[in-house]
Amino acid sequence: MLTKSPTLKAGFAALAMTAAFVPAAAQAEGTVNIYSYRQPFLIEPLLDAFTEKTGIETEVLFLDQGLEDRIAAEGENSPADVILTVDIGRLVNVEEKGVTQSVDNETINANIPAEFRDPEGNWFGLTTRGRVVYASKERVDQDTITYEELADPKWKGKICMRSGQHMYNIALFASMIANLGEEKAEEWMKGLKANLNGKPNGNDRAQAQAIYAGECDLGIGNTYYVGKMMTNDKEPEQKEWAKAIKVLFPNTEDRGTHVNISGMAMAQHAPNQENAIALMEYLSSAEAQAIYAEQNFEYPVLPSAETAELVKSFGDIKPDSLPLAEIAAHRKAASEMVDRVGLDEGPES
């Protein structure tokens, strides 16, 4: 069970009492069971506000891996009502595992733009994060860039990144295939490989650290990590990494920046469907998306929802309008391309 924070609960209770959202099962009783890949403290404010508004309690099971397999193994006896996760790959995985059910709900469909939801209603995006370029404030003069430019020989030895097989990069490469075609995307990946400063390693924060240390001038990372580094009081050295970089949103002048999502789905055998719909409607609302996005330094998918000031400070984002379902269809090809090109072997292989 999720342990509620009295401080957070009090803070969001006032917001919950004044907002305009009215769920389908207002003042309902009972529980909604959530299986989550997102850590409980990241979703706690949302769930506190939801309970204040509806009277519906929430139970959260957090797993860092194997969530889909657990629900599948539980079968018809699974207590899971709603699934929360990050990355289009994981959302598609829960669908492909057959552990979701289609939801056709007028409120949710009105709140979530079509490009951020499954056409069949098996999953819905809630917040977005841009897959952007971290650039050295000291050594990079330009303030605009394209993904295509990462293959330009002028950046030889100056780009750092995490493994090409990580799900965040697979989604980016899938978007390159969707936008350029497989042949051109592979040529681009070869150029990117040639410009790496070494073998891909670390996580997104490590790329900012490498720029700070002068090991590279450009890195590939998610926008929200910038917010996490800027506010990291436990590891203040990360604030210095964040100060060393500026965020460049690729392809702002044409198709837009590739974005990924956090999202939700209804479990296949949800025992509390009415309460699950109430939660999903709430999570799609402007109020909930603003809370969720601020907590995670992300962007709401609902245009009318407020973006946090810290996130606004990164700069303006123009998301690629290509539907994420279409991008997700190229994930397998992207993974195979990474191996074929030998991206994770570094530039000299």
Side-chain angles (χ1 to χ4, degrees):
M1 180 175 180
L2 181 64
T3 301
K4 307 278 188 180
S5 162
T7 303
L8 282 170
K9 189 169 185 177
F12 286 104
L15 176 62
M17 294 299 291
T18 58
F21 170 77
V22 179
Q27 303 306 316
E29 295 180 353
T31 299
V32 58
N33 300 313
I34 302 161
Y35 278 34
S36 176
Y37 268 131
R38 299 217 87 165
Q39 296 183 32
F41 76 90
L42 294 175
I43 58 176
E44 182 177 13
L46 286 169
L47 303 183
D48 284 339
F50 171 72
T51 299
E52 288 288 341
K53 192 173 289 294
T54 65
I56 301 171
E57 295 292 335
T58 61
E59 299 275 353
V60 177
L61 174 67
F62 167 72
L63 297 94
D64 58 5
Q65 59 184 351
L67 183 151
E68 307 95 321
D69 292 332
R70 172 155 181 164
I71 298 175
E74 290 171 344
E76 294 182 4
N77 295 320
S78 177
D81 293 310
V82 173
I83 301 165
L84 295 180
T85 187
V86 295
D87 187 72
I88 182 59
R90 278 184 163 167
L91 283 167
V92 171
N93 280 344
V94 296
E95 177 189 355
E96 291 177 345
K97 282 280 188 179
V99 297
T100 65
Q101 61 175 289
S102 176
V103 172
D104 185 10
N105 177 275
E106 184 176 346
T107 298
I108 299 171
N109 291 342
N111 287 339
I112 309 299
E115 62 266 29
F116 298 129
R117 51 184 163 90
D118 174 48
E120 304 302 320
N122 285 290
W123 52 261
F124 302 86
L126 295 173
T127 58
T128 68
R129 72 287 294 275
R131 193 74 180 149
V132 297
V133 173
Y134 301 163
S136 168
K137 288 180 179 177
E138 179 182 346
R139 298 182 299 277
V140 178
D141 293 330
Q142 67 190 65
D143 293 319
T144 62
I145 202 166
T146 65
Y147 293 116
E148 287 84 347
E149 189 185 327
L150 297 178
D152 189 319
K154 75 177 184 179
W155 298 114
K156 186 173 178 62
K158 297 182 178 181
I159 298 177
C160 52
M161 61 178 287
R162 74 193 304 166
S163 169
Q165 289 291 3
H166 190 274
M167 61 183 180
Y168 298 158
N169 282 332
I170 289 298
L172 171 61
F173 301 153
S175 79
M176 296 299 287
I177 294 173
N179 279 292
L180 303 180
E182 193 159 347
E183 184 177 346
K184 288 184 178 179
E186 184 160 337
E187 286 304 309
W188 169 81
M189 188 179 289
K190 290 176 181 177
L192 172 63
K193 173 184 174 178
N195 288 340
L196 294 178
N197 72 327
K199 291 184 178 181
N201 66 89
N203 55 24
D204 283 6
R205 298 185 211 214
Q207 314 317 314
Q209 181 184 19
I211 293 171
Y212 169 79
E215 297 171 8
C216 51
D217 291 348
L218 301 179
I220 300 174
N222 283 347
T223 45
Y224 69 85
Y225 283 113
V226 181
K228 289 180 180 293
M229 290 186 289
M230 290 173 68
T231 57
N232 193 335
D233 293 326
K234 293 183 179 180
E235 300 175 83
E237 65 274 15
Q238 292 194 12
K239 295 183 179 182
E240 298 303 312
W241 306 348
K243 289 179 183 177
I245 66 172
K246 55 185 174 182
V247 175
L248 303 185
F249 293 94
N251 298 82
T252 296
E253 300 302 316
D254 47 71
R255 68 177 178 271
T257 299
H258 167 65
V259 298
N260 212 319
I261 55 175
S262 72
M264 63 181 178
M266 183 182 286
Q268 181 185 19
H269 300 294
N272 304 294
Q273 289 197 19
E274 186 177 357
N275 289 346
I277 286 292
L279 176 61
M280 293 175 73
E281 285 186 348
Y282 176 70
L283 292 177
S284 77
S285 71
E287 173 196 306
Q289 287 191 32
I291 296 172
Y292 199 17
E294 181 171 11
Q295 184 80 1
N296 297 288
F297 306 106
E298 295 174 327
Y299 299 88
V301 299
L302 181 60
S304 63
E306 185 65 26
T307 300
E309 290 301 318
L310 180 59
V311 177
K312 289 179 181 177
S313 74
F314 304 159
D316 295 330
I317 186 170
K318 173 189 172 184
D320 185 344
S321 61
L322 198 65
L324 282 176
E326 183 175 340
I327 291 173
H330 297 284
R331 287 182 306 128
K332 183 174 183 292
S335 178
E336 292 171 349
M337 186 179 294
V338 169
D339 287 342
R340 189 164 60 246
V341 170
L343 184 66
D344 282 352
E345 298 170 12
E348 303 304 325
S349 61

